């Protein structure tokens, strides 16, 4: 079947098998490797992209279902590493990644979340990213990154967890 999909602002067209997943169309036919495939079962979120502005898990959408629609991947957010979109820039600044496998999907889910809710609380960020799994981090810096991308101070955002030791207090036993 022939599909025509606008990907990262550019028109693409290809003959595809009707059963080809959007994730594989993006990775294998277009070479967009930031769309990672971790499970093929919609469990991990590593393949999250925006389809007409809404975050979706591309491992459970057929390429033919995206025909005549617009897809944005991580590669489509930024022109280069010096001109990062605010969300990946915040992930970099807040150390919101470790191995990086989940990062593109996490970033795309965060972009969608911030479109829907520009100033989320920490709880809303955690709930909004619930369908994206990270096996390396404790999510703390990912949540901080999303709050920072929203223009909030992650330490002062509504619902933020207080630090273990309040400023001005010592953890030492000195005299």
């Amino acid at each position: 079947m022939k599909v025509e999909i606008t990907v990262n602002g550019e028109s693409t067209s290809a003959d595809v098998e009707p059963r080809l997943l959007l994730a594989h169309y993006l990775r294998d036919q277009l070479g967009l490797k930031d769309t990672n495939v971790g499970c093929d079962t919609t469990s991990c979120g590593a393949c999250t992209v925006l389809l007409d502005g809404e975050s979706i898990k591309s491992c459970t959408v057929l390429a033919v279902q995206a025909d005549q629609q617009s897809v944005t991947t991580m590669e489509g957010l930024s022109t280069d590493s010096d001109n990062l979109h605010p969300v990946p820039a915040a992930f970099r600044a807040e150390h919101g990644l470790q191995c990086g496998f989940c990062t593109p999907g996490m970033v795309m889910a965060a972009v969608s979340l911030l479109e829907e809710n520009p100033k989320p609380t920490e709880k809303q960020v955690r709930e909004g990213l619930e369908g994206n799994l990270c096996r390396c981090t404790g999510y703390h810096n990912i949540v901080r990154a999303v709050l920072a991308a929203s223009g909030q101070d992650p330490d002062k955002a509504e619902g933020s967890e207080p630090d273990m030791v309040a400023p001005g207090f010592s953890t030492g036993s000195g005299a």
Side-chain angles (χ1 to χ4, degrees), residues 7-130:
V7 179
N8 298 331
E10 294 186 26
S11 182
T12 68
S13 178
D15 287 317
V16 300
E17 291 289 323
R19 61 193 167 110
L20 181 69
L21 294 173
L22 180 58
H24 296 294
Y25 175 74
L26 296 169
R27 288 183 61 80
D28 302 335
Q29 295 202 7
L30 301 182
L32 300 172
K33 301 298 186 186
D34 279 350
T35 303
N36 292 318
V37 179
C39 68
D40 276 333
T41 63
T42 197
S43 296
C44 74
C47 66
T48 302
V49 298
L50 303 181
L51 180 63
D52 287 340
E54 298 289 323
S55 68
I56 57 125
K57 294 176 181 172
S58 63
C59 74
T60 58
V61 173
L62 299 171
V64 296
Q65 291 175 291
D67 187 37
Q68 303 300 314
Q69 296 185 64
S70 177
V71 173
T72 305
T73 69
M74 177 85 164
E75 291 97 337
L77 290 182
S78 304
T79 55
D80 59 51
S81 62
D82 292 329
N83 297 303
L84 289 178
H85 179 279
V87 175
F91 268 68
R92 178 186 283 176
E94 294 295 329
H95 308 286
L97 60 111
Q98 283 187 9
C99 85
F101 188 79
C102 73
T103 304
M106 200 71 75
V107 165
M108 298 311 293
V111 167
S112 180
L113 169 68
L114 293 175
E115 278 292 316
E116 294 171 23
N117 184 354
K119 296 288 184 202
T121 64
E122 179 180 333
K123 181 179 180 193
Q124 290 168 329
V125 170
R126 289 182 184 280
E127 289 171 354
L129 299 178
E130 201 170 55

